[in-house]
Amino acid sequence: ANYLRERGGVVVVAAGNTGAEKDIDASDAVLVVSATDQNDALAGFSSYGRFLDLAAPGAAIYTVDTGSSYAKRNGTSLATPFVAAAAALVKAANPVLGAADIESLLKTHSVDLGEPGEDSQFGAGRLDAAAAVAAALGAQVQDSQPPVVAIISPAAGTSVTGLAEVAITSSDNVGVT
């Protein structure tokens, strides 16, 4: 998870289905997801604790069943794909965002449930993919490195007189105008 995060990826994991509080340490390398039910309450089967980052729908999710049929199933493993897909949509909306930026947008633009602010049942809140993507479209990325500019022509050490055309290249982590 750390390896992927260092390269801009976001790892999303399920909290578990014990229906009880877990006393485990939070990790900055992953987003941990609990499950909500149809009433935006913590699903009775969902594990929870201070390690949670977000919540997403995980009860009565229509999914592939054994064989070649479909059925409604419950689980935090059914909630995690919603968060993973939202992270991908946020990245697609603003490709220069890093993992921390994506996670921040998902959390900041979630629907706060339970106790105000972050809590042990919903983390930052229930996922609101539309709000996170909208925010990503308008997000200003921190310009973290200076632009690189090079003169291509005239070549170094060349003498010019009168009017001379100058060609340059430029690049930056955010872009050069």
Side-chain angles (χ1 to χ4, degrees):
N2 285 325
Y3 178 84
L4 179 61
R5 183 178 174 79
E6 289 168 4
R7 285 150 185 80
V10 176
V11 177
V12 183
V13 298
N17 300 319
T18 65
E21 185 171 11
K22 290 182 176 180
D23 185 23
I24 59 176
D25 291 330
S27 169
D28 291 336
V30 297
L31 278 176
V32 183
V33 180
S34 66
T36 59
D37 64 15
Q38 299 87 330
N39 299 313
D40 254 356
L42 183 69
F45 57 82
S46 183
S47 299
Y48 58 96
R50 57 186 168 81
F51 61 95
L52 282 177
D53 293 297
L54 283 168
I61 304 298
Y62 200 61
T63 187
V64 176
D65 198 14
T66 55
S68 58
S69 63
Y70 298 89
K72 289 183 178 181
R73 296 287 181 229
N74 301 319
T76 57
S77 293
L78 296 168
T80 58
F82 289 110
V83 176
L89 290 171
V90 166
K91 180 71 170 181
N94 194 336
V96 298
L97 295 175
D101 300 317
I102 294 167
E103 292 172 7
S104 177
L105 286 170
L106 292 173
K107 289 179 174 183
T108 302
H109 296 283
S110 63
V111 177
D112 193 11
L113 301 174
E115 297 174 19
E118 291 199 23
D119 60 62
S120 65
Q121 292 188 336
F122 305 101
R126 195 239 318 120
L127 175 69
D128 186 339
V133 169
L137 289 170
Q140 297 296 318
V141 177
Q142 187 71 21
D143 193 353
S144 61
Q145 64 189 48
V148 175
V149 180
I151 297 175
I152 298 172
S153 69
T158 304
S159 294
V160 294
T161 59
L163 294 177
E165 185 173 321
V166 176
I168 66 164
T169 62
S170 61
S171 64
D172 188 54
N173 68 311
V174 175
V176 177
T177 302

